[in-house]
Amino acid sequence: MDVKARIEKLRKEIEYHNNKYYNEDSPEISDYEYDKLTVELRKLEAEHPEFNMADSPTKKVGGTVKRELRKVEHDVPVISLQDVFGKGEVYEYVNKMIVELNKPKFVVEKKIDGLSVVLRYHNGELTEGITRGDGVIGESVYENLLEIKNIPKTIPSKLPYLEVRGEVYISNEAFEEANKKQESMGGKKYQNPRNLAAGTLRQLDPSIVRDRNLDIFVFNLEISEGKEFTSHSETLEWLKEQGFKVSPDFTVCETADEVWDYISEVGNKRWNLEYAIDGAVVKVNNLEDRKKLGMTSKVPRWAVAYKYPPEQKETIVKDIIIQVGRTGRLTPLAILEPVRLAGTTVSKATLHNQDVINEKDVRIGDTVIVQKAGDIIPEVIKSIPEKRPVDSKPYVIPNICPICGEATVRDENGADTRCINLECDAQATRSISYFVSKDAMNIVGFGKSKVEALMAEGYIKDIGDIYQLEHYKDEILEKNVIGREKSVNNLLNAIEDSKNNNIDKLITGLGIKNVGKQSAKVLAENFADMDEVANANYDQLINLPDFGDTMVNDIIKYFRSEKYHTIISKLKEYGVNVVSKSSEIKSDDNRFEGMTFVITGTLPTMKRDEASSLIQSFGGKVSGSVSKKTSYVLAGEEAGSKLTKAETLGIRIIDEEEFKSMIK
């Protein structure tokens, strides 16, 4: 791959992970892996300035501002730190500072894994709390921060203005309690403490913050009008006197050896701490020295963040079993000798498919290296052949389904192996569980355990049977299949409510291969009812935004199947809505017919959904990506890479004001 192509690939990948981390609070890779990508991109951009772009992710902080929360401009830009990854880089940085400065000292702190916030105090009173946002403009979460017990609402010192920066987090204990509560309600478990803390703080209901017991560590004094300090450690001690919880167990060092010893000590006990950390921060202590050092184009020169690599350990593959998913996909799962990893006990890890097994040469009895991807999902990194039993054999996914005994087939153009028996019990259980899930029909309280119990008693064989459960209420209560009367009544009411869902929820719930929530919404917006969707031909579907050949053929194949017609007949009979409510917004005015819009950035007064509905009401289509087929890009603030691509392709760019004039 040439340099330009690699740079473009890295930018796209980093932007994707920025969105998952900052805006969706749902990272897919570890900070360590993410930082490796950004370091590579910065290096390539420095070596090849001809490919530099102003909107590169290396030029900005990854987050955007949630529309529902009030925007606030930062008094001091909230910047990131330079990342370092090894002992050599730590020594290089510290020794460089020792050469440049006069006997400098360094403060080393744990890098808490949470959500960065800025607190503002006027005359000793807390008046505002702001998230990092894009580093220049954040979002006010003041009302939510009032619910965090360890944030002082008033402080003894009545300085005219004080601004501090801290990290909001949830302790491991509070995280476990939140997950227990979530499980008791039949909900999906939260992935990790950082995601939960970040998502909670950006809720619009402050009571959720109080309920989940968020906490904070303050790690920097930004502004203190009327009071001077000489060192960072002095500011932390003063903040402690004011009632703040400051960086825990910070230490002051003089040599590279001392710095590295503390980093190593923290690394050895990081998984036994009461809170999650993802690194250690090394800061020059003297504040005058910081002013002398200043900034590079992106980061301060007076600090670096050391990122701990993912913890890896050896264990043994005791067995490999096969799980069958709702689409019939066979997934190999390594059963491991339990090992303590990244704070929890790991006893299994997915091996994905036959290609992954072959590539890593993982066999039953092997000693393997495991880690948690993103400190969340266990994965096998590699096997250690020299520790392999002498009689081991390569593992091959069976050619029969372990659940129903029918033959399996490998995808023609992929790596997956599937059971194609539509009557397979494993597929039915997962298909029904998916149908009732939040992403699909959202039947509250209908968890997998209830699905399995009702299937075991013969009340459900397919998704259509869900809507006739009310006829068996007395039997289900008498047998105590899914709980007492209140639980059964709540479930039956939730089932009844789901009949009124728009058809995009129904289409999602059908579990059509390669069709997710967004594609289902597009279908609901472009067809009047389920019959129209089912009868759509290739040409009608391929012209929908972001619909490709593979997806279109999967849709046609599904809706032509006997299985679909059996299911839809049941659903119609039991009163499930099959008419598109989205298509009702369309008017007789088709001024945007044949046009495709892409909406990017934050519009001044309109929400994206509102703009999308207007475009569709006038016969237009809305796409999530810019291409040569795009007619207009409707751009707001912080438009990012889509705007750049539109400019490159010569696509016409309009703002909200011009868009409103087009629909008058």
Side-chain angles (χ1 to χ4, degrees):
M1 185 181 293
D2 63 32
V3 172
K4 184 179 180 183
R6 179 60 182 162
I7 287 175
E8 289 175 351
K9 185 175 187 298
L10 284 168
R11 284 173 180 162
K12 186 175 181 180
E13 197 171 346
I14 291 168
E15 289 284 13
Y16 172 81
H17 290 299
N18 277 346
N19 183 59
K20 297 298 289 185
Y21 184 91
Y22 290 104
N23 301 326
E24 297 182 19
D25 301 318
S26 181
E28 292 181 356
I29 61 174
S30 68
D31 286 356
Y32 186 81
E33 292 165 315
Y34 171 84
D35 293 331
K36 285 284 192 182
L37 294 176
T38 58
V39 167
E40 182 185 355
L41 179 56
R42 286 195 193 104
K43 184 172 182 291
L44 288 174
E45 287 178 338
E47 292 172 352
H48 301 275
E50 67 273 21
F51 300 134
N52 243 328
M53 291 179 67
D55 71 337
S56 170
T58 60
K59 306 292 192 300
K60 58 188 178 183
V61 176
T64 55
V65 178
K66 232 184 179 182
R67 184 172 183 81
E68 298 91 337
L69 299 173
R70 179 169 52 86
K71 292 182 179 181
V72 181
E73 188 170 354
H74 287 295
D75 291 335
V76 178
V78 183
I79 50 180
S80 300
L81 299 178
Q82 176 70 42
D83 295 319
V84 294
F85 299 97
K87 180 178 180 180
E89 290 181 85
V90 171
Y91 272 75
E92 182 182 354
Y93 173 75
V94 173
N95 289 331
K96 183 178 181 183
M97 293 299 99
I98 290 172
V99 170
E100 289 190 31
L101 303 170
N102 181 27
K103 297 182 178 178
K105 293 183 179 180
F106 304 88
V107 174
V108 189
E109 307 168 27
K110 300 183 183 78
K111 189 173 183 295
I112 309 299
D113 195 12
L115 187 74
S116 193
V117 296
V118 171
L119 306 176
R120 292 177 174 176
Y121 290 80
H122 286 86
N123 301 312
E125 299 285 334
L126 177 66
T127 57
E128 184 60 282
I130 316 156
T131 65
R132 174 163 62 173
D134 65 1
V136 178
I137 297 175
E139 53 198 10
S140 174
V141 287
Y142 173 69
E143 290 80 6
N144 288 349
L145 292 171
L146 290 175
E147 301 295 340
I148 298 178
K149 295 175 185 176
N150 283 318
I151 293 181
K153 311 311 180 280
T154 61
I155 57 174
S157 179
K158 308 301 179 186
L159 298 184
Y161 182 55
L162 173 73
E163 182 172 298
V164 299
R165 184 174 165 189
E167 196 82 1
V168 170
Y169 70 97
I170 185 169
S171 70
N172 294 333
E173 183 181 356
F175 176 68
E176 291 301 324
E177 284 300 315
N179 261 336
K180 285 178 184 175
K181 187 172 182 180
Q182 186 76 348
E183 281 188 291
S184 69
M185 296 167 58
K188 186 179 178 182
K189 288 180 71 173
Y190 302 112
Q191 285 192 317
N192 68 6
R194 189 267 164 199
N195 295 357
L196 181 58
T200 300
L201 193 61
R202 299 168 80 191
Q203 294 283 335
L204 299 180
D205 181 0
S207 67
I208 298 175
V209 180
R210 181 171 62 251
D211 185 56
R212 291 180 183 166
N213 292 313
L214 296 192
D215 210 331
I216 190 171
F217 282 119
V218 169
F219 59 80
N220 216 56
L221 189 155
E222 304 287 341
I223 301 173
S224 56
E225 289 184 3
K227 188 168 181 62
E228 297 292 328
F229 297 93
T230 59
S231 69
H232 175 60
S233 57
E234 184 188 354
T235 67
L236 292 178
E237 294 295 348
W238 181 80
L239 288 170
K240 196 187 297 183
E241 293 170 5
Q242 301 303 307
F244 292 99
K245 274 183 70 175
V246 300
S247 292
D249 306 319
F250 70 89
T251 188
V252 180
C253 304
E254 296 186 15
T255 67
D257 285 340
E258 290 176 7
V259 169
W260 181 251
D261 286 346
Y262 182 77
I263 290 174
S264 301
E265 178 188 334
V266 171
N268 290 334
K269 62 183 181 182
R270 62 182 290 209
W271 303 115
N272 296 320
L273 297 172
E274 297 174 355
Y275 41 82
I277 65 170
D278 62 347
V281 180
V282 183
K283 302 175 180 177
V284 170
N285 194 25
N286 186 282
L287 299 181
E288 281 301 316
D289 283 346
R290 290 188 183 186
K291 291 178 183 178
K292 292 176 188 174
L293 291 166
M295 297 260 306
T296 66
S297 60
K298 184 173 173 64
V299 296
R301 295 185 63 238
W302 46 264
V304 292
Y306 172 79
K307 292 301 184 77
Y308 294 106
E311 186 181 32
Q312 296 184 346
K313 285 188 178 177
E314 283 188 18
T315 188
I316 295 172
V317 179
K318 297 166 63 179
D319 197 4
I320 298 176
I321 64 172
I322 298 295
Q323 294 182 319
V324 183
R326 63 183 176 82
T327 62
R329 180 173 179 261
L330 272 62
T331 301
L333 188 72
I335 305 301
L336 307 170
E337 188 72 43
V339 60
R340 191 77 179 168
L341 187 66
T344 62
T345 299
V346 171
S347 59
K348 56 189 177 181
T350 180
L351 295 172
H352 301 288
N353 54 51
Q354 189 65 55
D355 286 356
V356 171
I357 291 174
N358 293 345
E359 180 186 344
K360 296 181 179 180
D361 191 18
V362 177
R363 308 180 186 187
I364 296 172
D366 271 5
T367 298
V368 294
I369 303 293
V370 292
Q371 70 175 32
K372 281 186 177 180
D375 287 340
I376 302 170
I377 303 168
E379 63 176 343
V380 174
I381 300 301
K382 64 178 182 178
S383 62
I384 306 176
E386 54 268 29
K387 294 187 178 183
R388 174 175 293 159
V390 292
D391 59 346
S392 76
K393 297 178 181 177
Y395 182 83
V396 179
I397 293 176
N399 56 11
I400 60 169
C401 174
I403 305 299
C404 67
E406 294 289 328
T408 61
V409 296
R410 177 156 172 161
D411 285 355
E412 191 175 333
N413 296 312
D416 294 333
T417 302
R418 296 180 189 276
C419 169
I420 57 174
N421 175 20
L422 299 180
E423 305 303 319
C424 179
D425 286 346
Q427 288 189 63
T429 302
R430 286 179 171 81
S431 294
I432 294 169
S433 297
Y434 180 69
F435 181 83
V436 302
S437 69
K438 184 178 179 181
D439 284 346
M441 291 297 275
N442 192 23
I443 302 179
V444 179
F446 208 163
K448 186 181 176 184
S449 60
K450 289 182 180 177
V451 170
E452 290 174 340
L454 289 164
M455 289 186 72
E457 291 291 331
Y459 291 108
I460 300 177
K461 291 185 176 66
D462 59 40
I463 59 178
D465 293 336
I466 291 169
Y467 294 95
Q468 50 81 50
L469 285 174
E470 60 182 341
H471 302 311
Y472 302 97
K473 176 182 175 181
D474 293 341
E475 281 185 33
I476 292 169
L477 280 171
E478 186 178 342
K479 293 180 181 179
N480 194 26
V481 178
I482 54 172
R484 300 184 182 275
E485 187 168 6
K486 183 178 179 181
S487 177
V488 173
N489 285 337
N490 287 341
L491 179 60
L492 293 177
N493 289 337
I495 291 171
E496 187 65 25
D497 290 344
S498 74
K499 290 180 179 180
N500 298 316
N501 285 341
N502 195 8
I503 64 168
D504 65 303
K505 306 287 277 181
L506 175 56
I507 294 168
T508 302
L510 292 174
I512 306 165
K513 189 179 174 184
N514 289 315
V515 176
K517 290 190 296 182
Q518 185 56 42
S519 305
K521 284 182 180 179
V522 173
L523 289 169
E525 288 159 356
N526 285 276
F527 297 97
D529 53 37
M530 289 300 295
D531 289 341
E532 276 198 11
V533 176
N535 294 321
N537 60 37
Y538 182 89
D539 290 339
Q540 288 175 293
L541 294 169
I542 198 66
N543 286 313
L544 296 177
D546 300 326
F547 274 49
D549 182 73
T550 300
M551 186 199 299
V552 167
N553 284 320
D554 286 336
I555 291 169
I556 292 171
K557 181 179 179 181
Y558 178 83
F559 283 112
R560 300 295 187 269
S561 69
E562 185 178 340
K563 176 185 176 182
Y564 167 72
H565 292 288
T566 301
I567 292 296
I568 202 67
S569 296
K570 280 188 178 183
L571 296 177
K572 287 178 179 178
E573 179 185 346
Y574 296 130
V576 177
N577 175 56
V578 292
V579 176
S580 173
K581 298 175 183 179
S582 305
S583 65
E584 292 171 5
I585 64 172
K586 294 194 175 182
S587 66
D588 294 331
D589 185 340
N590 292 320
R591 68 182 70 184
F592 292 154
E593 188 171 1
M595 299 180 188
T596 299
F597 288 71
V598 171
I599 306 171
T600 182
T602 304
L603 302 176
T605 66
M606 299 173 72
K607 292 185 177 180
R608 287 198 192 189
D609 287 348
E610 185 183 349
S612 295
S613 296
L614 283 167
I615 291 165
Q616 290 153 4
S617 71
F618 290 113
K621 296 173 183 175
V622 180
S623 174
S625 57
V626 178
S627 69
K628 292 180 180 178
K629 295 180 181 179
T630 304
S631 309
Y632 296 96
V633 169
L634 172 55
E637 295 178 27
E638 303 155 19
S641 58
K642 290 180 183 178
L643 184 64
T644 306
K645 187 170 183 181
E647 291 169 341
T648 304
L649 294 174
I651 307 296
R652 184 173 171 188
I653 299 165
I654 58 174
D655 57 17
E656 184 184 301
E657 186 177 353
E658 186 174 355
F659 174 67
K660 285 183 175 179
S661 70
M662 293 170 70
I663 59 175
K664 279 182 181 177

